[in-house]
Amino acid sequence: MAKKQYAFYPGCSSQKGASAANFLTSMNVMTEKLDIQLNEIPDWNCCGASIGYGEGGELPRLVINARNLAIAEKELPGQDMVSGCPACWLATRETHERLAEHSSLLAETNEALKEAGLNLNNTVRARHMTEVLIEDIGWDAMKAPVVKPLDGLKIAGYVGCQTNRPFGIAGESFENPKYLDKMIETVGAEPMAKYEQKVTCCGGALAFSEPEKSQKQIRDIVESAYDSGADMIVTPCQLCQANVEIYQSEINKKHGTKFKMPVVYYTQLMSIAYGGSAADAGLNGQLIKADKLEKIAGK
Amino acid sequence: MSDLNTQAVARYKNNFLKEVEERVEDGHWVKMCMQCGVCAGSCPLGPAWQHSPQKIFMMIRAGKREEVLGSDSMWMCTSCYNCIVRCPRKLPITHIMHGLANYAHRLDLAPKGQPTREIARLFWDNLVKTGRVNELKFSLAMYFKDGFAQGIKNAMAMQGIGLGLMKAKRLNPMEIVGGHKCKDIPGIHKMVAKAREIEDRRRGLA
């Protein structure tokens, strides 16, 4: 089968030595097994994330995203852009849609892009990796490479915000999306049907600026995972992963809780189920060790 | 009061709604709000908002310019997009809140030292500098935003987490001397400056 090709936008957090470096490690194993070829967009830049608006306003924010789209359009023609990071995806897709809707904004964007020797016709579709898996690869093909089903693993599927809103995955509801639970089932684990905080906000960038308020969100997200009987939380989002894992120790210090709930990416589940080692799945990147997953990897 | 603000007051007199419609991202949607309150009830940080989006919309229509632009409410937005997907009139509420925050920041009416305002500025400066975010420098800039002594205190409080991340190879101490960056940094700088120039001209902030 010919490999499916995509213009790949890794995003800042997935780079070597960055906060979601282990996401990329595990995604590479997954895409290899699924015959997906990711062609990195040359010299891509940051999307501005969800906090870029404060100083960046509207047009500069659209323009930095348009730069990535313009490079992809020129260097990797005919390929959809795919990102593993919800913030990168959201910012790029929003840019694509806004520029398609307002020709005056596209004209202004191109005036700015000219300064970097670029031009955008706005033909590139921006997609999220989970979209690609569901729509282009399909559930059967996702299941086919499973050699180590994650038997007995109980998992709380935490979708979070930006993979789910405002765009989300076609055909899924904003209030109760089912695809992550279905992915958990596909790799042989058990999704916790009673997990209540599936689409709760982790605080996003406000984890830095409003720690108390964000940690209240994180506390709910983790507590509900325990209440549902889960062994671990799985998420498609880099910022959700970081916030929900990193701040558990802070919450324990402040509130006397004993949280120690591993938080992993869906790509890590797939890497292990597809026969990858703990290192292939980037499990050495966990602050809270995902022991039960490591055990399956070691079988 | 900043010059930009004086000019804005002179230009729009008591018509704050018109000012928002012309100068704030997606501001032309404000008049579509029917005051149902779903946004207020959907916000994860709802209790932290002095004025919910619903109230902000009514205050704009009532001409409460200083109260709106000086409010720290918009800075409580986590960009979760709950309000957008639930709004029965499909107002792009998240974007309007971002737009108001940015406009208030540009006029220097936003609360001084508001922590999200500060980190938003640090984050943008960080990413524009090299085209990519340097997580280590961003973290340090955040810790030290309130001065050196407070910075040491913040860094000490977070050192366990920092060391954990380094051990997990998710924070690279070498980022302090360089780190990931784009090749065409000059092009990015010119492009961003041009975008800002165009937008400022269009919004009357030039």
Side-chain angles (χ1 to χ4, degrees), chain A residues 15-16 19 43-46 53-55 58-59 61 94 98 108 162 165 175 201 209 241 245 285, chain B residues 25 78-80 86 95 102 105 116 131-133 135 164 170 172 180 182-184 196 199 202:
Chain A
Q15 298 176 103
K16 192 165 183 279
S19 56
D43 208 37
W44 57 268
N45 56 262
C46 174
Y53 68 84
E55 180 70 34
E58 184 185 16
L59 191 63
R61 212 175 72 236
E94 187 190 303
R98 240 187 246 202
E108 288 181 348
Q162 296 193 348
R165 298 182 299 264
E175 309 291 341
C201 178
S209 53
Q241 195 287 331
E245 185 188 43
Chain B
E25 182 174 343
T78 63
S79 306
C80 80
R86 287 184 182 166
H95 300 304
N102 171 264
H105 169 64
T116 303
R132 293 186 191 174
V133 167
E135 291 178 342
R170 287 165 60 188
N172 180 3
H180 299 289
C182 287
K183 290 193 193 86
D184 187 21
R196 177 131 168 176
E199 182 162 274
R202 169 159 50 78

Side-chain angles (χ1 to χ4, degrees), chain A residues 59-60 62-64 66-67 70 99 102-121, chain B residues 187-202:
Chain A
L59 191 63
L62 294 176
V63 163
I64 59 170
R67 180 178 177 273
L99 298 183
H102 304 284
S103 54
S104 60
L105 270 181
L106 180 61
E108 288 181 348
T109 297
N110 272 322
E111 196 184 333
L113 281 176
K114 210 170 140 196
E115 297 289 322
L118 292 164
N119 183 68
L120 180 71
N121 294 313
Chain B
I188 291 172
H189 287 177
K190 277 191 280 179
M191 175 189 89
V192 170
K194 179 57 109 181
R196 177 131 168 176
E197 179 197 315
I198 297 167
E199 182 162 274
D200 280 356
R201 201 168 53 218
R202 169 159 50 78

Side-chain angles (χ1 to χ4, degrees), chain B:
Chain B
M1 223 191 274
S2 73
D3 287 349
L4 290 175
N5 187 44
T6 314
Q7 287 161 16
V9 171
R11 182 182 168 102
Y12 292 100
K13 304 207 166 56
N14 291 323
N15 199 340
F16 183 42
L17 176 62
K18 192 173 175 211
E19 182 178 353
V20 169
E21 286 176 334
E22 289 185 0
R23 293 184 159 195
V24 171
E25 182 174 343
D26 282 337
H28 60 280
W29 278 92
V30 168
K31 59 179 175 293
M32 290 297 291
C33 171
M34 62 179 182
Q35 292 291 303
C36 72
V38 166
C39 54
S42 299
C43 180
L45 262 59
W49 291 59
Q50 190 190 356
H51 313 293
S52 65
Q54 173 198 9
K55 284 189 188 152
I56 295 272
F57 293 143
M58 187 49 97
M59 287 162 75
I60 292 171
R61 286 143 95 167
K64 303 225 173 262
R65 185 175 187 274
E66 276 171 45
E67 291 90 332
V68 170
L69 296 177
S71 168
D72 86 339
S73 292
M74 298 85 77
W75 300 98
M76 295 298 156
C77 173
T78 63
S79 306
C80 80
Y81 296 85
N82 244 335
C83 53
I84 283 203
V85 302
R86 287 184 182 166
C87 175
R89 287 253 173 116
K90 296 190 168 25
L91 268 77
I93 301 172
T94 312
H95 300 304
I96 304 169
M97 293 303 122
H98 291 177
L100 284 167
N102 171 264
Y103 187 57
H105 169 64
R106 289 300 307 279
L107 295 185
D108 207 16
L109 294 175
K112 298 253 179 300
Q114 206 293 333
T116 303
R117 180 188 181 191
E118 287 303 310
I119 69 153
R121 187 178 55 74
L122 293 170
F123 188 82
W124 183 261
D125 291 349
N126 184 308
L127 79 89
V128 169
K129 200 166 186 181
T130 62
R132 293 186 191 174
V133 167
N134 184 311
E135 291 178 342
L136 180 63
K137 286 186 189 168
F138 175 55
S139 306
L140 291 174
M142 278 191 306
Y143 296 157
F144 287 89
K145 72 181 169 56
D146 300 320
F148 185 73
Q150 187 59 40
I152 297 290
K153 221 166 138 186
N154 293 343
M156 292 296 280
M158 292 300 281
Q159 71 169 339
I161 287 174
L163 288 171
L165 284 169
M166 278 183 205
K167 210 172 128 205
K169 298 200 183 336
R170 287 165 60 188
L171 186 66
N172 180 3
M174 295 311 285
E175 287 265 314
I176 199 77
V177 291
H180 299 289
K181 58 177 86 152
C182 287
K183 290 193 193 86
D184 187 21
I185 296 174
I188 291 172
H189 287 177
K190 277 191 280 179
M191 175 189 89
V192 170
K194 179 57 109 181
R196 177 131 168 176
E197 179 197 315
I198 297 167
E199 182 162 274
D200 280 356
R201 201 168 53 218
R202 169 159 50 78
R203 292 205 292 180
L205 296 179

Side-chain angles (χ1 to χ4, degrees), chain A residues 22-38:
Chain A
N22 58 335
F23 168 78
L24 196 59
T25 307
S26 59
M27 197 191 63
N28 286 338
V29 176
M30 180 191 82
T31 51
E32 178 69 34
K33 294 280 181 190
L34 295 174
D35 275 334
I36 296 171
Q37 184 176 323
L38 299 177

